[in-house]
Amino acid sequence: MRIDSHAHGRASALQEEPAAYVRRMAAQGIEALVLIDEPDAVFASVQKMGSFVIPVPIIDMDHDGPDEAHRLFDRGARGIKFFLPHHPLGDERYFPLYEAVKARDGVAVFHTGYIMHDADYSSRFRVKLDDLRTAHIDTIERWVPHLRVLMSHFGNPYWEECWKVMWAHPTVYADLSGGTAIL
């Protein structure tokens, strides 16, 4: 099975009918896609596109706790996306969120590496690149062993670090989506 492991967007924004999009993707050999977006948008897309969408809603890691993660899994999430943290990904204050994902047999999807900013340098994108290093995934795996992890963007620009973390932990993977992590 071929799965697009990292997609953003909403079924409501498609330029074609959702069913036509699913058929077109199937013709290209893509049988499902991991859709990452705000919770309501992800679940609305599932309603329009069915099992083609693997829902991975974004959680506000600095305000939402494990109860919110469980609510998202109850709604059908298969994983949780962790994005724009105020602290390093490996900070212990986030461990209860990661443990909630593991308890639900979900996948923790982490934005790793560089984050683009908008033209106005808005405060939303005020993060520290070091807080998003793939080395933090090593820390997380040592405290929440065998958590299934997908590191987005192959840790760009920390590719060697990303490779080592994947090599060391059998439940850690990475995608090559976006940015300069394109071959």
Side-chain angles (χ1 to χ4, degrees):
M1 171 180 256
R2 277 182 69 197
I3 297 173
D4 179 342
S5 67
H6 190 128
H8 297 280
R10 300 165 184 215
S12 62
L14 288 172
Q15 300 298 313
E16 60 192 309
E17 289 296 315
Y21 177 81
V22 171
R23 284 192 303 274
R24 187 166 56 83
M25 292 297 102
Q28 295 177 29
I30 298 172
E31 300 173 53
L33 66 80
V34 174
L35 185 59
I36 301 166
D37 208 319
E38 301 301 321
D40 289 341
V42 167
F43 296 123
S45 294
V46 169
Q47 291 204 326
K48 291 184 179 207
M49 301 170 83
S51 62
F52 177 74
V53 171
I54 300 170
V56 176
I58 299 168
I59 197 167
D60 183 336
M61 15 187 344
D62 290 295
H63 295 101
D64 295 331
D67 289 344
E68 178 61 15
H70 287 294
R71 279 191 284 280
L72 293 170
F73 279 106
D74 288 344
R75 289 179 70 184
R78 301 286 300 279
I80 301 291
K81 172 72 179 259
F82 297 104
F83 183 56
L84 300 175
H86 294 160
H87 309 281
L89 291 172
D91 190 294
E92 291 180 29
R93 73 188 79 209
Y94 299 133
F95 290 177
L97 283 169
Y98 307 153
E99 289 165 350
V101 172
K102 183 178 178 183
R104 297 303 289 263
D105 197 29
V107 176
V109 179
F110 291 94
H111 180 101
T112 56
Y114 187 77
I115 290 181
M116 297 299 290
H117 56 81
D118 57 15
D120 296 328
Y121 289 87
S122 67
S123 61
R124 178 171 190 253
F125 298 103
R126 288 188 187 145
V127 296
K128 296 176 183 172
L129 182 57
D130 274 356
D131 290 350
L132 302 170
R133 290 187 76 122
T134 56
H136 293 293
I137 306 304
D138 180 72
T139 301
I140 293 164
E141 283 293 315
R142 291 169 190 269
W143 287 88
V144 187
H146 305 292
L147 173 66
R148 292 189 303 155
V149 169
L150 178 63
M151 298 181 291
S152 298
H153 318 298
F154 211 84
N156 177 27
Y158 306 111
W159 298 299
E160 290 177 354
E161 192 173 278
C162 184
W163 172 85
K164 182 61 178 182
V165 172
M166 287 189 321
W167 179 87
H169 301 287
T171 59
V172 175
Y173 302 87
D175 70 41
L176 291 171
S177 64
T180 56
I182 298 172
L183 299 177

